[in-house]
Amino acid sequence: MSKRGTLDYPGVGGTEHGVAPAGYHQVLKEVRLGSGQDLYRHVAAGILSWELQRRAGLRVRADVPTVRPGARVVSGFGVGPFRINAPCEVVWVREAVPGGSPQSAGFGYGTLPGHPERGEESFEVLIDAAGAVHLRIRAFSKPANWFYSAGAVVAGAAQRYVTARYIEGAKALATEGTPQ
């Protein structure tokens, strides 16, 4: 995987703390997945192995099998010649730690040149003190250039669609991680 290109947006790492630069569209989605440490750890493992992106229907090409800071990934969506590749670099990672709750695990990645957007997106699974497990998706973005600005309505619909797919992927992971 190519190491060319650098992060080219303000506020690198902002999704870790819910901070977005001025002028960027923001997304925050949270859904309850269930409860318990086993479920939390199963979903965390799926997030940190790119499985959430695969479950969302994206083609994933990463330079490492497990998410780590600095890792590069290209997610692709679409069909044939209508496939859009979205190169990103991981800017922060939080792993599940042994012990109790509350805690969270996940990562954020930022866009690289060639991505249709400029900004960042993060995926976290959280477990609260009562043992409830939630998925949190945060993003801030704006079109990368005039061409994508012209299609902002389509880009917004695509972002909502992919976010919904991430949520469905997390629910599938949660179902697998729930004892029957």
Side-chain angles (χ1 to χ4, degrees):
M1 174 149 310
S2 171
K3 290 294 184 185
R4 296 180 329 161
T6 59
L7 300 165
D8 64 349
Y9 59 91
V12 172
T15 56
E16 185 173 14
H17 306 290
V19 178
Y24 281 69
H25 172 74
Q26 296 182 60
V27 172
L28 174 61
K29 294 286 184 188
E30 285 193 24
V31 295
R32 188 169 195 274
L33 300 175
S35 60
Q37 282 286 334
D38 290 343
L39 175 65
Y40 166 74
R41 295 197 183 292
H42 183 75
V43 175
I47 289 173
L48 296 174
S49 65
W50 311 110
E51 188 60 26
L52 186 61
Q53 279 71 16
R54 289 183 187 95
R55 298 288 177 110
L58 301 176
R59 181 185 304 167
V60 177
R61 291 179 294 142
D63 60 4
V64 294
T66 305
V67 175
R68 64 170 172 75
R72 298 283 179 108
V73 61
V74 177
S75 300
F77 59 93
V79 178
F82 302 105
R83 180 168 298 280
I84 295 176
N85 290 314
C88 293
E89 179 179 319
V90 176
V91 296
W92 65 268
V93 177
R94 189 176 309 120
E95 295 187 30
V97 296
S101 47
Q103 64 172 293
S104 69
F107 73 97
Y109 56 20
T111 60
L112 293 168
H115 195 293
E117 298 282 319
R118 289 180 61 203
E120 199 169 290
E121 190 166 30
S122 67
F123 312 91
E124 283 182 274
V125 60
L126 305 94
I127 185 167
D128 66 19
V133 177
H134 292 84
L135 173 72
R136 176 186 296 151
I137 298 172
R138 281 190 178 133
F140 60 82
S141 64
K142 66 181 187 178
N145 57 41
W146 69 268
F147 179 78
Y148 290 113
S149 290
V153 171
V154 173
Q159 184 172 37
R160 286 188 298 278
Y161 174 74
V162 172
T163 299
R165 296 294 307 257
Y166 287 137
I167 291 168
E168 291 306 311
K171 287 178 178 179
L173 280 169
T175 300
E176 293 170 8
T178 304
Q180 301 299 322

